[in-house]
Amino acid sequence: MVRRMTPLLLLALASPLLAQTPPPLRAGLATTIINPPTPAWLVGFAARSHPATTISLDLKAKALYLEQSPSRRALILTADLLGFTERITNTLAQRALSKHGLARHQLFFFASHTHSGPAVLDRLTLTVADSPAFHAEAEAYTASLIDKLDRLITQALAKPKPVTLSSGWSSAPFAFNRRTEQLAAIRPGESLPAPVDHRVPVLRLSRPNGQPLATLFGYACHSTVLTGDTYEINGDYPGYAQQAIEEALPGSTAFFVLLAAGDQRATPRGTLLLAQQHGRTLARAVLDASLSPLPPTLTTAIENIRLPFASHTREAYLAEANSSDVFAARRGKAMLAAIDDRRLPLNTPYPIQALRLGTLTLLALPGEVVVDYALTLRDKYGPNLITAAYASHLPGYIPSLRLQREGGYEAGDAMMYFLQPGWFTDEVEPLVLSAIQRLLARLP
Ligand SMILES: [Zn+2]
């Protein structure tokens, strides 16, 4: 039996529901080209011997702004760079706070880690070039990049429009564990694990009429399809993937976040054609993903920790400083100078961030995080967590305890290329995992 209700009673019944309905989410976005002036030294491969003079795929930076209320806002900045640096993120954060009232926990920086992009200061200058002219060029590029990204943020915030959210997962097969070959040399005869993570998370923002406005997607594979003998400015496979998605969904923008790819790279690799092919494979996976609606709620949080370096002796740096390896000698000299000035770093800042949209959480970890973290976190927190890496600045590799036990490049040997003191202590994995637990516990 249906009884007629008075309008007053109807209102009383509806009001708790109305109170629970979140305000609509609004989004704004902007894109800019960030190619350096040519000729430009490309960073990422130690073996490159001269600057690049051509651009085969524009490097881009993109900003995606999300807003639900004056206090619930987030700005995602992606860029075709080897990495962001503390100088860049700190300066942008200061300006975003003073100009727009955006706090650091609301700013997310993701680098695609292309190895066919320019040097940025401080410390991401991985090239044999070391002349005053090279450093002056890197200084000029970094300063102009900061100004450009600052304008990009302002542009993205200008006119946010209502959006709906949906998300899903897909997969792509071309990443493999690159330590397989390395371990055969340093641990001959041993059968060691070689995990991969082929999952492709997809987040879609759509206009109220259903038209796609933006697609954010990720993959755990180094942006090194183009190798050290490539002398062309290029966004590598993520650049081609974004281009293919934008062509398939006209009027929308694609955003790439690199996942826990520290020990992952593409196979096969080495040519422009393969970078395009892997890009198209990834784009196809993104476009084929089956998406489900997400509740339009937004929260952000940050957990600031520091990762400790193992102790090192002056003698070890002295030996490095006299090495014939230009990168070892550079690190050795830098650390000797730091010891003399009593400023040898004992640890490095490590801001861990999370953006929760409905039931989906995007975790933003700085550094070249190895795939173990993504797999451990999936097992612990389930499939609604996206473990993105190369976020904020790039302090170096973030090894798991398993990798530290195995040894090799990602375990700590590569830290000299980042001008860091050396290996982290064995505390890194437990410190990162417990900080993530605290961070996620704080999110509603
Ligand atoms: Zn790398």
Side-chain angles (χ1 to χ4, degrees):
M1 191 177 80
V2 178
R3 287 169 57 189
R4 289 177 64 98
M5 287 188 269
T6 63
L8 200 62
L9 183 58
L10 274 173
L11 193 66
L13 287 172
S15 59
L17 286 175
L18 286 174
Q20 284 168 14
T21 306
L25 202 61
R26 299 194 301 161
L29 44 84
T31 299
T32 190
I33 291 172
I34 56 166
N35 296 329
T38 53
W41 280 91
L42 307 180
V43 291
F45 288 111
R48 284 203 181 99
S49 60
H50 59 269
T53 52
T54 57
I55 300 167
S56 47
L57 182 65
D58 284 332
L59 302 182
K60 291 183 178 173
K62 301 175 181 180
L64 174 59
Y65 174 62
L66 294 163
E67 168 188 283
Q68 185 159 43
S69 71
S71 64
R72 292 184 184 255
R73 304 191 292 159
L75 187 286
I76 295 170
L77 191 61
T78 66
D80 294 324
L81 293 170
L82 187 72
F84 285 99
T85 63
E86 285 182 279
R87 183 198 289 201
I88 298 171
T89 55
N90 288 345
T91 310
L92 288 173
Q94 284 162 11
R95 293 189 191 175
L97 182 63
S98 64
K99 290 184 184 176
H100 311 297
L102 281 167
R104 181 64 185 85
H105 68 89
Q106 297 172 315
L107 300 174
F108 293 80
F109 301 93
F110 295 109
S112 76
H113 200 48
T114 178
H115 283 43
S116 300
V120 284
L121 298 177
D122 296 332
R123 287 194 297 100
L124 294 187
T125 53
L126 174 50
T127 148
V128 292
D130 203 17
S131 66
F134 166 71
H135 286 283
E137 282 164 22
E139 180 75 48
Y141 177 75
T142 306
S144 72
L145 177 71
I146 291 171
D147 288 341
K148 201 173 258 189
L149 297 179
D150 180 24
R151 288 195 295 274
L152 188 72
I153 292 172
T154 301
Q155 206 184 329
L157 263 68
K159 286 179 187 162
K161 302 268 170 46
V163 288
T164 59
L165 300 177
S166 55
S167 72
W169 291 84
S170 187
S171 78
F174 60 85
F176 94 119
N177 193 304
R178 71 182 193 185
R179 284 172 59 79
T180 320
E181 295 155 8
Q182 187 194 148
L183 290 174
I186 63 170
R187 304 282 293 267
E190 289 187 48
S191 174
L192 296 164
V196 297
D197 184 2
H198 285 163
R199 293 175 297 163
V200 177
V202 181
L203 172 69
R204 170 78 37 78
L205 278 69
S206 303
R207 298 176 173 91
N209 65 4
Q211 289 280 315
L213 177 71
T215 305
L216 186 143
F217 66 104
Y219 193 51
C221 179
H222 251 76
S223 301
T224 54
V225 179
L226 301 175
T227 49
D229 48 14
T230 304
Y231 288 86
E232 295 175 15
I233 290 165
N234 192 296
D236 212 281
Y237 81 87
Y240 289 113
Q242 291 170 83
Q243 189 179 55
I245 293 168
E246 289 172 359
E247 281 168 11
L249 304 173
S252 76
T253 305
F255 293 82
F256 175 76
V257 294
L258 185 55
L259 308 184
D263 49 354
Q264 307 290 308
R265 78 171 175 219
T267 185
R269 64 199 271 260
T271 66
L272 212 59
L273 219 57
L274 284 168
Q276 292 165 342
Q277 181 185 309
H278 292 317
R280 281 198 299 270
T281 300
L282 182 55
R284 194 69 264 153
V286 170
L287 294 166
D288 286 349
S290 158
L291 306 180
S292 309
L294 270 183
T297 57
L298 181 163
T299 46
T300 57
I302 190 166
E303 183 82 17
N304 285 298
I305 61 170
R306 301 186 79 90
L307 302 184
F309 293 114
S311 59
H312 299 274
T313 62
R314 193 173 203 287
E315 287 66 37
Y317 293 134
L318 202 54
E320 267 189 4
N322 292 313
S323 166
S324 59
D325 181 322
V326 60
F327 297 99
R330 192 180 290 169
R331 197 263 296 270
K333 285 174 190 161
M335 293 304 124
L336 287 175
I339 290 172
D340 291 345
D341 293 348
R342 297 181 182 278
R343 55 174 177 80
L344 184 72
L346 300 176
N347 51 49
T348 190
Y350 197 73
I352 301 178
Q353 291 179 252
L355 167 63
R356 181 163 286 171
L357 293 167
T359 51
L360 189 74
T361 303
L362 176 65
L363 189 64
L365 302 176
E368 305 216 34
V369 180
V370 300
V371 78
D372 287 358
Y373 284 91
L375 301 176
T376 301
L377 292 167
R378 177 199 62 191
D379 290 347
K380 186 165 182 186
Y381 298 105
N384 286 330
L385 183 72
I386 304 169
T387 301
Y390 301 82
S392 298
H393 65 287
L394 188 56
Y397 281 85
I398 310 299
S400 58
L401 193 55
R402 177 179 72 81
L403 256 72
Q404 288 178 309
R405 297 275 188 266
E406 288 176 358
Y409 187 81
E410 298 87 357
D413 289 354
M415 293 302 266
M416 76 174 180
Y417 296 112
F418 298 88
L419 287 177
Q420 294 283 29
W423 283 44
F424 287 122
T425 70
D426 287 357
E427 285 302 295
V428 160
E429 180 176 326
L431 281 171
V432 171
L433 293 180
S434 57
I436 291 170
Q437 188 167 12
R438 290 195 300 277
L439 179 71
L440 296 180
R442 293 218 316 269
L443 290 172

Coordinates of all heavy atoms in Angstrom, one line a residue, residues 113 115 178 222 368 390 397, ligand 1:
H113 N 60.1 10.2 -17.3 CA 61.4 9.5 -17.2 C 62.0 9.2 -18.6 O 62.8 8.3 -18.8 CB 61.4 8.2 -16.4 CG 62.7 7.8 -15.9 ND1 63.6 8.6 -15.2 CD2 63.3 6.5 -15.9 CE1 64.7 7.9 -14.9 NE2 64.5 6.6 -15.3
H115 N 64.4 9.3 -21.5 CA 65.9 9.4 -21.5 C 66.3 10.2 -22.8 O 67.5 10.2 -23.1 CB 66.6 8.1 -21.5 CG 66.6 7.4 -20.2 ND1 65.5 7.4 -19.3 CD2 67.6 6.8 -19.5 CE1 65.8 6.8 -18.2 NE2 67.1 6.4 -18.3
R178 N 64.4 -6.1 -16.3 CA 65.7 -5.9 -16.9 C 66.9 -6.4 -16.1 O 68.0 -6.5 -16.6 CB 65.9 -4.4 -17.2 CG 66.2 -3.6 -16.0 CD 66.3 -2.1 -16.4 NE 66.8 -1.3 -15.3 CZ 67.0 0.0 -15.3 NH1 66.6 0.7 -16.3 NH2 67.5 0.6 -14.2
H222 N 60.4 1.3 -18.0 CA 61.3 2.5 -18.3 C 61.0 3.1 -19.7 O 60.8 2.4 -20.6 CB 62.7 2.0 -18.2 CG 63.5 2.5 -17.0 ND1 63.3 1.9 -15.8 CD2 64.4 3.5 -16.9 CE1 64.1 2.5 -14.9 NE2 64.7 3.5 -15.6
E368 N 63.0 6.0 -8.5 CA 62.9 4.9 -9.4 C 62.5 3.6 -8.6 O 63.3 2.8 -8.2 CB 64.2 4.7 -10.1 CG 64.7 5.9 -10.9 CD 65.4 5.6 -12.2 OE1 65.0 4.6 -12.8 OE2 66.3 6.3 -12.5
Y390 N 58.3 7.9 -9.7 CA 58.9 9.1 -10.4 C 58.1 10.3 -10.1 O 57.9 11.2 -11.0 CB 59.0 8.8 -11.9 CG 59.8 7.6 -12.2 CD1 59.3 6.3 -12.2 CD2 61.2 7.7 -12.5 CE1 60.1 5.2 -12.4 CE2 62.0 6.6 -12.8 CZ 61.4 5.3 -12.7 OH 62.2 4.2 -12.9
Y397 N 67.3 5.4 -7.2 CA 66.5 4.2 -7.2 C 66.0 3.9 -5.8 O 66.7 4.2 -4.8 CB 67.4 3.0 -7.6 CG 67.5 2.9 -9.1 CD1 68.4 3.7 -9.8 CD2 66.6 2.2 -9.9 CE1 68.5 3.7 -11.2 CE2 66.7 2.2 -11.2 CZ 67.6 2.9 -11.9 OH 67.7 2.9 -13.3
Ligands
ZN1 ZN 65.7 5.0 -14.7

